Amino acid sequence: MLTLSIVNAISDAIKSRRLLPGSKLNERELAQLFGVSRTIVRQALSHLAQDELVSIAPKRAATVAQPSFDDAYNLYQTLLIIDCGVVDHLIEHITPAQLDILEAHTRREEATFQQGRHEESDELGREYHRLLIGFLNNEALSQIHAKLERKATLITSLYKVDFDYCQLRHEHVGLIDALRNKQGDRVKAMLGSHYKLVIRGYRFDVASTPQVDLATALQIGVDA
């Protein structure tokens, strides 16, 4: 449980961009902040390294991972391949109730954006793809997809400059229409365009290694 709490805290800090790629994760400091042994911290960092969120050097110096352009390209190519495989199944098996779920989700995504809650709208956009995967009720696939999404979050925190969110949300609506009309090729073409648009919102000139206060980034000692 102690290991998991550290894993979750660091993962959340990365996802929320409080811990940026390249940030140092000192074992001794983390142990003091969480009030645990360095062994527990080491186990947590090892777990994060398995998810490719953390890099551990031979002397066990740990940092938040710094993915490259090739990492980003390969990641989104993998996500596209998964999504296209999911589409092959959903074209034949998606139900009216599931289509209604997707439509309600896109309305929430648009409403939160119009209300200026852009971070929440962005998260709903990511959730859209998790819903598609979830319709297959394949836990193994969902876990693989979740791991890839965590890496995508890291890449976004490093490289994101600007996205055409309006077009992304529009494509989510269009995907529903294509699924409803069993237009598999159209869905796959839209997904390919979708991920290309995301990558165009990245700038691949890596910034210098950030200096962060771990207690602040991990929100330790911060009043709820």
Side-chain angles (χ1 to χ4, degrees), residues 128-167:
Y128 180 95
H129 293 269
R130 291 195 288 271
L131 282 173
L132 289 175
I133 299 292
F135 288 156
L136 269 65
N137 293 316
N138 185 320
E139 184 61 26
L141 182 60
S142 292
Q143 289 180 4
I144 292 170
H145 187 260
K147 179 177 179 178
L148 293 172
E149 275 206 329
R150 288 193 290 272
K151 188 171 182 179
T153 297
L154 178 68
I155 290 173
T156 296
S157 76
L158 177 60
Y159 296 121
K160 174 185 168 186
V161 177
D162 191 24
F163 290 154
D164 183 353
Y165 286 109
C166 182
Q167 185 172 339

Side-chain angles (χ1 to χ4, degrees), residues 17 21 67-77 79 122 126 148-165 168 194-206:
R17 300 180 199 168
S68 66
F69 169 80
D70 286 342
D71 291 329
Y73 179 83
N74 291 336
L75 170 68
Y76 284 108
Q77 186 179 51
L79 286 170
D122 296 349
R126 291 185 286 270
L148 293 172
E149 275 206 329
R150 288 193 290 272
K151 188 171 182 179
T153 297
L154 178 68
I155 290 173
T156 296
S157 76
L158 177 60
Y159 296 121
K160 174 185 168 186
V161 177
D162 191 24
F163 290 154
D164 183 353
Y165 286 109
L168 286 175
H194 198 71
Y195 285 123
K196 287 179 182 177
L197 182 62
V198 171
I199 291 181
R200 285 202 297 271
Y202 291 151
R203 184 184 64 212
F204 290 95
D205 52 338
V206 182

Side-chain angles (χ1 to χ4, degrees), residues 111-122:
T112 54
F113 185 85
Q114 294 300 329
Q115 293 165 10
R117 293 147 56 194
H118 293 176
E119 288 295 329
E120 183 178 345
S121 181
D122 296 349

Side-chain angles (χ1 to χ4, degrees), residues 6-66:
I6 298 171
V7 168
N8 288 340
I10 294 176
S11 296
D12 182 66
I14 292 171
K15 179 179 178 180
S16 302
R17 300 180 199 168
R18 299 191 304 274
L19 273 178
L20 298 177
S23 299
K24 294 181 180 179
L25 300 169
N26 183 276
E27 280 187 10
R28 179 180 289 110
E29 185 177 358
L30 287 169
Q32 292 173 344
L33 288 171
F34 286 99
V36 299
S37 70
R38 292 179 65 175
T39 298
I40 296 296
V41 170
R42 199 170 295 126
Q43 290 172 351
L45 293 176
S46 178
H47 182 94
L48 290 161
Q50 290 175 12
D51 277 351
E52 300 182 56
L53 295 182
V54 165
S55 296
I56 302 177
K59 293 184 179 180
R60 305 209 62 82
T63 59
V64 177
Q66 292 182 286

